[in-house]
Amino acid sequence: DKNIVLIGFMGTGKSTVGKILARKMDRPLWDIDQAIEDQQKKRISEIFENEGETYFRNLEKQMILDVSSHRGQVITTGGGAVVDPENLKALQSSGILVALDATAETIYQRVKGTRHRPLLKSGDLMAEIKRLLESRKPFYEKAELTVSSSGKSAAKVADEIYEALESREDFEFGKDWF
Ligand code: S3P
């Protein structure tokens, strides 16, 4: 009953795919960013603005360590979550890491109309996406499975993950976990 942990860059579809996957697998969903917002009663963008990124990263770590102490869940993470080695270790030891991948162009199209991402507020959005995507790549490559979401519906991506997990011998689909 390992957790299924979705990692990947902003705009790759983690939260939407996570919702569908959790329903499909009949598992509880933990969205780390959502859980932080509920706990703090503030949007992530407000936390960045008022308390700063370091403060947010501490909240994120605490939440990841808490959530990783449970099993049998689908966990969706913020795009920077696995940059921290302790976070990565906690998520890896409790679950299977699945990375969602998308091209810079796809990410650009998906995030350009949104305003809630504090790390994508600088002038040249495309240049910022490319720069950050490149620096995050080695961390997303730690995943056991990578699925591209470019040009696919969230339902299709969730299906692909489900099928890939189903073929793993070490993975039981919630048959016995409750
Ligand atoms: C971040 C991604 C965001 C959120 C925060 C920082 C990042 O989550 O955690 O703004 O460092 O990439 P999404 O990936 O869900 O947008």
Side-chain angles (χ1 to χ4, degrees):
D1 59 353
K2 280 185 158 185
N3 294 321
I4 302 303
V5 185
L6 300 189
I7 66 169
F9 201 75
M10 295 172 266
T12 52
K14 300 177 298 279
S15 299
T16 316
V17 171
K19 266 183 213 154
I20 300 171
L21 191 63
R23 213 177 304 135
K24 225 172 142 60
M25 295 176 75
D26 194 20
R27 283 178 168 224
L29 172 71
W30 272 97
D31 184 305
I32 300 289
D33 281 350
Q34 187 63 56
I36 294 170
E37 291 191 338
D38 293 347
Q39 178 197 58
Q40 300 293 311
K41 300 188 174 52
K42 277 183 192 169
R43 301 300 309 266
I44 300 292
S45 55
E46 285 178 82
I47 300 172
F48 265 73
E49 217 166 287
N50 301 332
E51 279 89 18
E53 180 168 356
T54 307
Y55 187 86
F56 167 74
R57 294 300 172 195
N58 284 329
L59 295 174
E60 183 179 50
K61 182 190 291 280
Q62 208 47 61
M63 193 57 78
I64 287 174
L65 297 182
D66 275 3
V67 172
S68 301
S69 66
H70 302 274
R71 297 288 186 277
Q73 321 163 96
V74 172
I75 301 173
T76 58
T77 59
V82 290
V83 172
D84 180 281
E86 251 188 291
N87 292 351
L88 181 65
K89 199 169 146 223
L91 293 167
Q92 270 174 330
S93 62
S94 66
I96 298 171
L97 261 54
V98 179
L100 294 193
D101 190 23
T103 63
E105 181 56 36
T106 299
I107 291 167
Y108 176 82
Q109 293 302 333
R110 288 182 187 155
V111 305
K112 70 172 185 204
T114 65
R115 305 190 135 264
H116 65 277
R117 292 188 170 93
L119 294 183
L120 295 178
K121 279 193 169 157
S122 72
D124 187 342
L125 180 59
M126 190 56 162
E128 195 48 27
I129 290 171
K130 284 186 174 159
R131 188 193 66 75
L132 201 53
L133 198 52
E134 197 53 36
S135 75
R136 295 275 177 83
K137 224 170 126 185
F139 302 100
Y140 303 143
E141 282 171 356
K142 307 273 183 204
E144 290 183 49
L145 170 72
T146 300
V147 176
S148 168
S149 71
S150 285
K152 292 176 195 162
S153 68
K156 170 87 171 74
V157 178
D159 278 350
E160 285 184 22
I161 297 171
Y162 189 91
E163 275 159 31
L165 291 172
E166 215 172 21
S167 66
R168 282 176 64 119
E169 281 179 6
D170 64 334
F171 195 71
E172 290 263 342
F173 264 103
K175 263 176 262 157
D176 302 318
W177 67 269
F178 44 87

